[in-house]
Amino acid sequence: MTDANESRAPRRIAVIGAPIDMGASQRGTLMGPAALRTAGLLTVLGSLGFEVTDHGDVAVADMADLADPPPQNANHYRDIQRWTRAVSNRGYALARSGAIPIFLGGDHSLSMGSVNAMARHWREAGREFFVLWLDAHADYNTPATTLTANMHGMAASFLCGESGLDGLLGEGPRVSIDPDRLELFGTRSIDRLEKELMRQRKISVVDMRAIDEFGVGVLIRRVIDKVRACNGVLHVSFDVDFLDPDVAPGVGTTVPGGATYREAHLIMEMLHDSGVVRSLDIVELNPFLDERGRTARTAVELVGSLFGQQIIDRPTPSNAITSQD
């Protein structure tokens, strides 16, 4: 819920790029932040009445390596460690500024830093914190379960406090969320050992079968109601492979049978109306694999819907997305 002071607060968005591509097997997502900017993301957000500040891209070149022994089955661990520390530090500072942070990826390993930052901020603010994982994949592998050793497939498990990557943040605070606060949505690819771990943790999964059977409106409303029930806030981690490859071909890990263009817009529109979203990742966009920028443009359109873009005018709920007071 918002109060009168919050509704009058300036609506501010802080955009930060994290051009990471070593967490995935297919290189090229390091060009994702530039592609999203080129596709007009900042212009769209500005047209919706937000004060938008682009903080550029996170830099890690000057960060010193840590001395912890790299775990087995974690490709490019040292590189991802630098990115995770940098993104977590910058994201936490942006959240404390009162703006809504938007992280431009980069592969999904960036969420190890972004979600940690948001969880840390909201714990200090005394608010319950939830994560909506819009993704074809569960990303709940650990070094002990992974088949590929690619760290973008371990991001969700890391943010829930699973072991195996315990030194990733060095001396920085690791603020994990309860598995009950993670909502996987649109999932259609889960590894065998990963599935068993998720079953043990009782992770909430809305797969494409559920979406086909019940519809996205009913299912995303359940997520919203769960967050609202405890006056919580929501971080949306949007992997563009959540969308069907016919809609978004510019990803390295396409899985057939994903969300349609209209289903994705409905999700974003309902999230906007709910007023619970306070941060966002956009990940796994690979312009090298895109078709004339089509996936980047689609992602920008969906973010527009998340922040209030409408085809026709509708009354905006009093608790629609705004910056926190």
Side-chain angles (χ1 to χ4, degrees):
M1 296 178 63
T2 58
D3 58 27
N5 288 333
E6 183 176 5
S7 65
R8 290 195 299 268
R11 304 204 313 166
R12 295 186 288 124
I13 288 175
V15 174
I16 186 77
I20 311 167
D21 71 353
M22 26 327 243
S25 57
Q26 176 74 55
R27 307 302 287 266
T29 56
L30 82 170
M31 299 184 290
L36 290 165
R37 292 179 175 108
T38 301
L41 177 64
L42 276 66
T43 300
V44 168
L45 294 171
S47 72
L48 296 172
F50 288 90
E51 177 188 330
V52 183
T53 303
D54 187 352
H55 293 267
D57 291 345
V58 174
V60 298
D62 295 332
M63 293 191 72
D65 285 344
L66 301 182
D68 61 311
Q72 293 183 339
N73 301 323
N75 292 339
H76 304 288
Y77 172 80
R78 201 60 80 194
D79 291 320
I80 300 299
Q81 185 178 54
R82 287 195 295 269
W83 281 108
T84 301
R85 293 158 57 205
V87 171
S88 181
N89 291 338
R90 289 296 303 278
Y92 174 71
L94 293 176
R96 283 178 56 84
S97 77
I100 299 170
I102 297 181
F103 301 87
L104 310 183
D107 67 61
H108 220 153
S109 63
L110 80 82
S111 297
M112 296 176 174
S114 64
V115 173
N116 187 74
M118 297 303 104
R120 178 185 174 192
H121 169 70
W122 289 111
R123 183 183 67 178
E124 292 176 358
R127 298 286 295 278
E128 294 287 339
F129 177 71
F130 295 77
V131 177
L132 176 62
W133 203 261
L134 298 174
D135 198 326
H137 307 86
D139 294 342
Y140 210 87
N141 272 301
T142 70
T145 67
T146 181
L147 298 174
T148 66
N150 293 326
M151 289 183 65
H152 70 162
M154 308 179 197
S157 70
F158 176 79
L159 66 91
C160 286
E162 298 290 349
S163 62
L165 299 173
D166 306 287
L168 200 59
L169 286 159
E171 297 299 321
R174 180 181 180 182
V175 182
S176 302
I177 67 171
D178 190 285
D180 182 58
R181 298 299 193 249
L182 174 65
E183 302 288 331
L184 304 184
F185 204 97
T187 316
R188 53 195 188 276
S189 177
I190 308 176
D191 297 332
R192 182 179 62 84
L193 294 178
E194 180 184 31
K195 184 184 298 185
E196 178 58 31
L197 181 58
M198 291 167 57
R199 185 181 296 114
Q200 293 173 16
R201 301 296 186 260
K202 299 180 180 180
I203 301 294
S204 173
V205 182
V206 172
D207 62 7
M208 291 308 298
R209 160 67 189 268
I211 288 174
D212 290 342
E213 188 169 357
F214 299 105
V216 296
V218 169
L219 297 171
I220 201 66
R221 174 60 63 191
R222 291 178 183 173
V223 174
I224 292 168
D225 288 346
K226 183 177 179 180
V227 178
R228 278 179 160 174
C230 45
N231 191 29
V233 296
L234 183 67
H235 175 92
V236 177
S237 199
F238 169 40
D239 186 325
V240 293
D241 74 16
F242 164 72
L243 302 166
D244 190 83
D246 287 342
V247 178
V251 296
T253 51
T254 56
V255 182
T260 67
Y261 182 83
R262 188 54 245 161
E263 286 172 333
H265 271 288
L266 179 58
I267 289 168
M268 297 304 189
E269 290 162 0
M270 292 181 68
L271 288 172
H272 168 261
D273 291 348
S274 75
V276 297
V277 177
R278 288 296 181 272
S279 49
L280 169 69
D281 301 327
I282 312 167
V283 301
E284 298 289 353
L285 172 62
N286 190 329
F288 182 74
L289 303 174
D290 205 1
E291 298 174 358
R292 300 183 179 182
R294 181 154 66 98
T295 306
R297 291 195 302 273
T298 297
V300 168
E301 291 167 3
L302 289 169
V303 174
S305 289
L306 178 61
F307 285 91
Q309 191 163 271
Q310 301 179 118
I311 302 231
I312 62 172
D313 291 334
R314 288 182 173 87
T316 302
S318 61
N319 62 343
I321 293 177
T322 184
S323 61
Q324 68 262 17
D325 189 25

